[in-house]
Amino acid sequence: EGSTNNTLNVDATGLIGGNPYQVSPVTTTIYTLTSVTDANGCTQSLSDSKILTVNNSPNTSNILGNTSVSYLSTEIYNVAQTIGSIFNWNLDNGGIIINGQTTNSIEIQWGSTSGTYELYVIETDINGCVGDTIFLSVNVSNSTNIKELNIDKLTLYPNPSQDVFNIKFTRK
């Protein structure tokens, strides 16, 4: 639909000014090369058509995993797998990533400081296209999620014991 004349300076790696070139419309299009000028200023006329393939940015899924965790717990977080993509995970304190840094699934060892922390991931696909940053807020607390057990009487036997002992209790 019509034509647009642009002069683009493409380096030997195919980048324009060291960066990818943003095209509009964002569709695969046929472009006609009219001339090429080398670094010495020599120009050669061309009448060649080339297809410019436009790659979409990755559409990274939401991060799945527990959003309320206990001190020192180990948790798994993941996003949908995309073949060939690399995932860059980051955590703003609160714990450490102990496994899976460039994969779609990571393991985090949470720390012992209460607070809400941001976990985020950035996906880069096989074409080098970078997706949006996906965030998940995680609340770390000293809660063990173990319900209190009200007992009336606790008996430990045999006493003394060297290896095995028994615990007997009655509830209130």
Side-chain angles (χ1 to χ4, degrees):
E1 309 229 355
S3 65
T4 302
N5 292 325
N6 285 319
T7 299
L8 303 175
N9 297 314
V10 180
D11 65 22
T13 65
L15 297 176
I16 298 161
N19 297 300
Y21 182 67
Q22 300 296 320
V23 296
S24 179
V26 202
T27 58
T28 298
T29 308
I30 296 176
Y31 285 85
T32 303
L33 302 176
T34 56
S35 66
V36 174
T37 303
D38 67 17
N40 297 321
C42 299
T43 301
Q44 180 178 355
S45 295
L46 302 170
S47 59
D48 194 13
S49 294
K50 295 292 180 187
I51 296 176
L52 175 66
T53 302
V54 177
N55 297 308
N56 293 322
S57 295
N59 186 16
T60 309
S61 70
N62 288 332
I63 300 170
L64 300 176
N66 289 332
T67 57
S68 184
V69 300
S70 298
Y71 286 173
L72 304 176
S73 64
T74 301
E75 303 288 338
I76 304 281
Y77 296 88
N78 59 65
V79 293
Q81 176 65 50
T82 304
I83 302 300
S85 283
I86 294 173
F87 299 86
N88 184 18
W89 293 90
N90 292 283
L91 181 60
D92 72 345
N93 298 316
I96 57 170
I97 298 170
I98 58 175
N99 196 14
Q101 177 51 260
T102 59
T103 70
N104 72 306
S105 181
I106 60 164
E107 187 174 9
I108 294 178
Q109 171 75 56
W110 291 103
S112 59
T113 304
S114 292
T116 300
Y117 301 97
E118 291 291 329
L119 171 64
Y120 61 96
V121 64
I122 302 169
E123 179 179 357
T124 303
D125 72 11
I126 197 166
N127 298 307
C129 298
V130 178
D132 292 333
T133 303
I134 306 299
F135 293 90
L136 181 70
S137 294
V138 179
N139 183 43
V140 177
S141 68
N142 64 357
S143 169
T144 60
N145 293 327
I146 298 174
K147 294 181 181 177
E148 278 189 34
L149 178 61
N150 293 319
I151 57 174
D152 193 31
K153 182 178 178 184
L154 177 72
T155 307
L156 178 68
Y157 63 94
N159 187 7
S161 176
Q162 291 183 344
D163 292 323
V164 178
F165 60 90
N166 299 295
I167 300 174
K168 180 181 177 183
F169 61 89
T170 55
R171 293 184 184 180
K172 287 184 178 180

